[in-house]
Amino acid sequence: MSNKYSIVFALVTGGSRGIGRAVALRLAQMGYRVVINYMSNDAEAEKTLALVREAGSDGELLKFDVSDVEASRLALEGWQKAHPDDYIEVLVNNAGIRKDNLLVWMEPEDFTRVLTTNLCSFYNVTRPLITPMIRHKYGRIINMASLSGLKGLPGQCNYSAAKGGLIAATKALAQEVGRKNITVNAVAPGFVKTDMVEGLDEAELKKTIPMNRFGEAEEIAGLVGFLASKEAGYITGECISINGGLYS
């Protein structure tokens, strides 16, 4: 964490529930003021903010659709104008959706929506924030990838394409900004107990996992917290799997 500024901020997209909420709390425990992005669920976003405050930090809500490039730009420019002496030094691109189906039955809008929300959002959110990071010569960008983006999973051609693209973008951006003391990494969870795995057969799937269980959101948040820390300053351009040994 940079010590040059009285207030340091971290932005977590999709921060109202699941892994996003756990990441927000972890960053709050590390001393960050947390900007919690969400799209629609006001009640859950308010709950995350309350938990951040219970953790001894503070934060604010920033409601916008990360899949909308103009909405993202306006929201982030508005935040920066409201905080002229501060900047977001940690960005966690976590927002994502699933629309699973075999490709032969997948509707065009389900393919496009998943790519827009899971991949294009990386551009929509990161681009407005990368310039301040470059100017301050410090930043941490952590992108939430997936086992699906590494291995590919049946029924997830859209999700696998989006997460695979996100991993490639992570590696490319890391090479662009490394000289500015900005690290860019991806985290690739396997099956984690969140809303994102609703509808999956946990009893059957955990038989394929060497650790014989689904992961916890807090375990993912622990890895994100490390990558956001100064101790991880020489790690960049990596995609780190956290999947209980299911795939490496």
Side-chain angles (χ1 to χ4, degrees):
M1 186 190 309
S2 174
N3 293 318
K4 296 179 181 179
Y5 309 96
S6 57
I7 301 176
V8 288
F9 287 88
L11 169 62
V12 181
T13 68
S16 64
R17 295 180 295 172
I19 291 174
R21 173 179 286 169
V23 168
L25 294 180
R26 177 63 177 170
L27 294 172
Q29 292 164 357
M30 292 170 64
Y32 283 102
R33 295 277 185 98
V34 185
V35 182
I36 301 160
N37 159 261
Y38 70 108
M39 188 174 74
S40 60
N41 197 325
D42 296 310
E44 290 298 322
E46 290 284 358
K47 183 176 179 180
T48 299
L49 181 57
L51 291 169
V52 163
R53 289 170 174 161
E54 287 178 15
S57 186
D58 202 353
E60 57 192 86
L61 303 180
L62 197 58
K63 185 177 183 179
F64 66 93
D65 182 357
V66 297
S67 71
D68 185 326
V69 63
E70 187 65 7
S72 300
R73 183 185 67 81
L74 290 173
L76 295 170
E77 287 182 356
W79 185 91
Q80 290 173 332
K81 288 178 181 177
H83 299 79
D85 298 324
D86 307 303
Y87 83 110
I88 293 168
E89 68 173 36
V90 174
L91 168 60
V92 182
N93 286 305
N94 168 75
I97 61 169
R98 281 176 45 222
K99 296 285 184 180
D100 294 357
N101 210 339
L102 296 179
L103 185 66
V104 68
W105 293 315
M106 187 175 290
E107 296 296 331
E109 57 269 24
D110 288 343
F111 191 88
T112 302
R113 181 62 177 168
V114 168
L115 258 69
T116 302
T117 303
N118 293 282
L119 178 57
C120 295
S121 61
F122 160 80
Y123 171 86
N124 297 344
V125 177
T126 305
R127 187 172 185 269
L129 299 181
I130 196 70
T131 298
M133 289 185 184
I134 290 171
R135 188 182 308 123
H136 291 98
K137 297 182 180 179
Y138 188 87
R140 296 284 186 266
I141 299 171
I142 300 108
N143 300 316
M144 197 61 62
S146 170
L147 166 71
S148 186
L150 291 169
K151 180 180 182 291
L153 293 176
Q156 290 193 339
C157 282
N158 49 3
Y159 193 72
S160 292
K163 294 301 187 178
L166 184 61
I167 292 167
T170 296
K171 294 177 178 294
L173 182 59
Q175 295 178 63
E176 295 178 9
V177 298
R179 292 181 181 273
K180 297 297 183 180
N181 199 29
I182 300 168
T183 64
V184 189
N185 291 290
V187 172
F191 297 107
V192 180
K193 289 184 179 180
T194 68
D195 294 346
M196 286 287 281
V197 298
E198 285 185 358
L200 300 182
D201 189 336
E202 181 177 350
E204 285 301 314
L205 284 171
K206 73 179 185 181
K207 294 176 183 178
T208 68
I209 303 169
M211 295 197 72
N212 196 38
R213 66 176 177 88
F214 278 17
E216 301 289 343
E218 291 76 16
E219 293 174 308
I220 312 304
L223 175 55
V224 173
F226 172 68
L227 291 173
S229 71
K230 281 190 172 181
E231 286 76 12
Y234 202 52
I235 301 172
T236 195
E238 292 298 321
C239 179
I240 302 176
S241 294
I242 178 166
N243 57 40
L246 177 59
Y247 182 82
S248 61

